Amino acid sequence: AQSVTQLGSHVSVSEGALVLLRCNYSSSVPPYLFWYVQYPNQGLQLLLKYTSAATLVKGINGFEAEFKKSETSFHLTKPSAHMSDAAEYFCAVSPRGTGGFKTIFGAGTRLFVKA
Amino acid sequence: GAGVSQSPSNKVTEKGKDVELRCDPISGHTALYWYRQSLGQGLEFLIYFQGNSAPDKSGLPSDRFSAERTGGSVSTLTIQRTQQEDSAVYLCASSLISGGVGEQYFGPGTRLTVT
């Protein structure tokens, strides 16, 4: 069975500092992987996705994530945090060939950005 | 183009009353999902539709919850005899099946408050 674990329910960084949000997955074969962001009082928005092309995936708003098969990880990073990055971030995993029906979301990590 | 829309955006109801929540997916998206997000929590999967059928209803919390989808488009989530623990944000998402890797497009959610 697949699962996804986000380490840290809350992460706090200073404006301009590196953002690192951790995600580890469990799957018998490399799945599709996603990061979503949820701003206050809004639905989730896709940040980026890994579908087996390049292992380093670039997304919107300067975020990127690297798929590391040996570590079963898909951590999200951004070199320099902005105040507008404060939101909740969800990692998700979906088995290949299922069209997303079996997508599993992590518990989420809330990012705080200090001025 | 238009995204996923949900109505109402907010709903306050008295304990014991029935409520209906509506979701309009992106045109052409054959898969539709319902999730529940309680305060400060992650996403709890409720049900998904492939076309008008719901192959997986395992996430529905109780028999007070039901959902239907008509014409491969609009979906309604019905909660009968609402309880205070039903208070949450209900999110709807849609996705492509064929040719897609399963990324989901979310609506803004319906905030349900049961008093």
Side-chain angles (χ1 to χ4, degrees), chain B residues 3-99:
Chain B
V4 178
S5 61
Q6 292 185 246
S7 61
S9 55
N10 281 284
K11 177 71 176 179
V12 180
T13 190
E14 293 180 352
K15 178 181 175 181
K17 300 285 189 182
D18 298 350
V19 295
E20 285 189 354
L21 312 180
R22 177 188 169 106
C23 173
D24 279 275
I26 292 173
S27 177
H29 280 193
T30 51
L32 185 148
Y33 310 79
W34 284 99
Y35 297 91
R36 180 168 69 176
Q37 187 176 32
S38 300
L39 186 62
Q41 302 298 309
L43 273 70
E44 176 187 5
F45 168 80
L46 297 179
I47 189 172
Y48 84 85
F49 288 90
Q50 182 176 349
N52 290 334
S53 65
D56 187 357
K57 301 180 181 179
S58 63
L60 294 176
S62 73
D63 59 8
R64 297 187 295 106
F65 287 72
S66 63
E68 66 175 10
R69 189 180 185 193
T70 56
S73 181
V74 172
S75 176
T76 303
L77 177 69
T78 302
I79 309 173
Q80 296 178 311
R81 306 181 302 281
T82 52
Q83 304 294 313
Q84 288 187 330
E85 61 262 29
D86 298 334
S87 295
V89 175
Y90 289 82
L91 292 168
C92 174
S94 69
S95 72
L96 287 167
I97 301 181
S98 57

Side-chain angles (χ1 to χ4, degrees), chain A residues 4-6 20-25 32-36 48-51 54-58 64-69 71-77 90-93:
Chain A
V4 58
T5 302
Q6 291 184 241
L20 172 60
L21 304 182
R22 299 178 187 273
C23 173
N24 288 87
Y25 68 91
Y32 296 132
L33 294 158
F34 309 86
W35 276 100
Y36 289 85
L48 50 80
K49 62 184 178 184
Y50 167 74
T51 60
T55 56
L56 182 61
V57 181
K58 295 186 182 298
E64 60 183 36
E66 186 172 9
F67 170 71
K68 291 187 176 181
K69 182 179 178 180
E71 299 178 6
T72 59
S73 69
F74 191 58
H75 302 330
L76 182 71
T77 61
F90 293 91
C91 182
V93 58

Side-chain angles (χ1 to χ4, degrees), chain A residues 1-3 25-31 67 69 72 93-96:
Chain A
Q2 291 196 134
S3 65
Y25 68 91
S26 173
S27 177
S28 56
V29 295
F67 170 71
K69 182 179 178 180
T72 59
V93 58
S94 177
R96 293 172 183 275

